Amino acid sequence: MRRSLLLLASTLLLACSAAPPEPAGRPPVAGPPATPPPFTPGTAVAASGPSASPSADPGPAPAPSASAAAEPAGPASCPADMKLVEGEYCTEVEHTCKKSWFDKSNKKTVCEEFEPTARCIGQKVKKRYCIDTYEWPNVKGERPEVMNRFHQAQMKCAAVGKRMCSESEWTFACEGPEMKPFPYGYVRDAAKCNGDHPWDDPNMKAVAKRDPKELARLWKGVRSGSQPQCISDFGVADLPANADEVVSSEQPKNSRRGDFDSVHSGGPWYKGVRNQCRPKIYTHDEDFYYYFLSFRCCGEADGKPTDPRTERQIQDGWSLQKVERRAGFTLDAIKEKLELKKQGKCDCSDKDILCKTMCGTLLGPGAVDATH
């Protein structure tokens, strides 16, 4: 029987479901495709923010100095294709569900409407950073790119001078300063942020082979920027639902959520999953890829240098060369591919999976964007 795609922590022990499973393990990127690894259900839990090093509520801010007053603000603090996110992020938020329904296919209770209030019961952390307006390739009107492994997504961000977003950065950009469960408010609406599509039984052997026809059949996404009501208070588009997104972990390694640097945020386009700002999946390693898993990039504000490594990699003393080895390509190589793609010349042979992954051309021409 299929196992549940995405369950809340309280339903972790459920054994069987008609909902979609998520593959685990390390599928190959190049060479002869292997049989997909065993499946394990994802476990959605509400993220508690940067628990590795939370800071106390700093209280009232001191009066700005002359140099601070001259600091750039608003869009000028970030590149044109990014949005500035600034404010106090709460590490743990309390929401009260007012109306819910039970999804039989996924064996999950979905909150349809929350009380229109949010209470911070954790610590407050000051943040100021830039985040891509759209999912990679961060271009309005293009489809979010899927099927990248964590380190491959990381190298693509590095190629444009950015880095992976952390889980709290993604969450804050989604929920806004009011800590809303959805970027558009407190009442769930799958028509505002593309969701609630039925499970469609992927052929996992074909997915492992990156079969373009199967990937096109499975596509239920919409184009970036085509959802005018799926925009957060910070102006960031398409955060929950549509394509799921991978971000970097802020969990301690010795915690139950800290096994991997890779964290999934937002939830995909299927019915009965975690299409909210806070819930996360912590159960898939960095070599995981999937046909609905995308990403976007972040960076430092105000022109400050951006280290492409994640916080965990920095703590562990990783070099960028180590990330390159895990990705399967170098920074120079992906820069070259991205330049070729701009020119419409990022061509690959049918069997060159790595090339297609770098060019973002795995999705077959038969893909049709979702409609509601």
Side-chain angles (χ1 to χ4, degrees), residues 100-114:
S100 64
W101 54 275
F102 184 74
D103 180 64
K104 293 181 179 180
S105 65
N106 209 28
K107 294 185 178 180
K108 177 183 180 294
T109 299
V110 177
C111 187
E112 188 70 20
E113 181 179 356
F114 290 91

Side-chain angles (χ1 to χ4, degrees), residues 35 64 134 146 156 171 175 235 268 281 317 331 337 339 344:
T35 301
Y134 309 109
V146 295
K156 290 183 177 183
T171 299
E175 68 186 13
I281 293 289
L331 183 61
K337 290 293 187 186
E339 182 59 35

Side-chain angles (χ1 to χ4, degrees), residues 16-35:
C16 297
S17 170
E22 289 189 280
R26 299 183 176 181
V29 175
T35 301

Side-chain angles (χ1 to χ4, degrees), residues 212-281:
K213 290 183 179 180
E214 179 64 3
L215 295 180
R217 182 186 75 82
L218 294 169
W219 176 258
K220 297 295 186 296
V222 297
R223 307 270 175 161
S224 292
S226 65
Q227 305 178 107
Q229 293 181 295
C230 192
I231 299 176
S232 77
D233 289 342
F234 289 114
V236 187
D238 312 327
L239 284 161
N242 204 38
D244 203 1
E245 296 187 39
V246 63
V247 296
S248 66
S249 176
E250 293 171 295
Q251 304 300 318
K253 284 187 175 181
N254 58 355
S255 70
R256 66 184 179 87
R257 305 177 188 172
D259 289 344
F260 310 117
D261 205 359
S262 174
V263 176
H264 296 185
S265 191
W269 51 64
Y270 286 120
K271 182 182 179 182
V273 297
R274 62 188 200 292
N275 298 147
Q276 296 178 31
C277 294
R278 283 259 160 180
K280 303 286 184 283
I281 293 289

Side-chain angles (χ1 to χ4, degrees), residues 41-266:
T43 305
V45 294
S48 58
S51 56
S53 56
S55 61
D57 186 343
S65 63
S67 60
E71 184 179 48
S77 299
C78 298
D81 62 350
M82 304 183 84
K83 295 291 187 288
L84 176 68
V85 178
E86 181 177 24
E88 289 188 336
Y89 169 78
C90 178
T91 59
E92 189 172 358
V93 174
E94 182 179 78
H95 292 124
T96 301
C97 186
K98 184 177 178 181
K99 179 182 178 182
S100 64
W101 54 275
F102 184 74
D103 180 64
K104 293 181 179 180
S105 65
N106 209 28
K107 294 185 178 180
K108 177 183 180 294
T109 299
V110 177
C111 187
E112 188 70 20
E113 181 179 356
F114 290 91
E115 294 287 349
T117 57
R119 188 166 71 97
C120 180
I121 58 175
Q123 296 174 310
K124 292 183 178 180
V125 182
K126 285 192 174 182
K127 290 184 176 291
R128 181 181 172 89
Y129 58 94
C130 301
I131 185 170
D132 282 351
T133 304
Y134 309 109
E135 291 162 291
W136 184 271
N138 194 24
V139 177
K140 186 176 182 178
E142 292 198 17
R143 289 171 173 147
E145 187 180 304
V146 295
M147 296 291 285
N148 288 277
R149 295 188 286 113
F150 181 86
H151 297 108
Q152 293 171 337
Q154 184 180 1
M155 291 305 300
K156 290 183 177 183
C157 288
V160 293
K162 303 175 185 180
R163 57 171 171 78
M164 298 294 286
C165 299
S166 70
E167 53 182 299
S168 64
E169 287 174 335
W170 194 99
T171 299
F172 193 29
C174 180
E175 68 186 13
E178 295 181 16
M179 304 176 290
K180 294 179 291 187
F182 310 101
Y184 47 81
Y186 294 87
V187 181
R188 179 181 174 276
D189 190 337
K192 290 181 178 178
C193 294
N194 176 39
D196 276 6
H197 293 283
W199 176 238
D200 43 15
D201 294 305
N203 179 337
M204 288 310 301
K205 290 184 178 180
V207 171
K209 293 178 181 178
R210 279 69 163 188
D211 179 75
K213 290 183 179 180
E214 179 64 3
L215 295 180
R217 182 186 75 82
L218 294 169
W219 176 258
K220 297 295 186 296
V222 297
R223 307 270 175 161
S224 292
S226 65
Q227 305 178 107
Q229 293 181 295
C230 192
I231 299 176
S232 77
D233 289 342
F234 289 114
V236 187
D238 312 327
L239 284 161
N242 204 38
D244 203 1
E245 296 187 39
V246 63
V247 296
S248 66
S249 176
E250 293 171 295
Q251 304 300 318
K253 284 187 175 181
N254 58 355
S255 70
R256 66 184 179 87
R257 305 177 188 172
D259 289 344
F260 310 117
D261 205 359
S262 174
V263 176
H264 296 185
S265 191

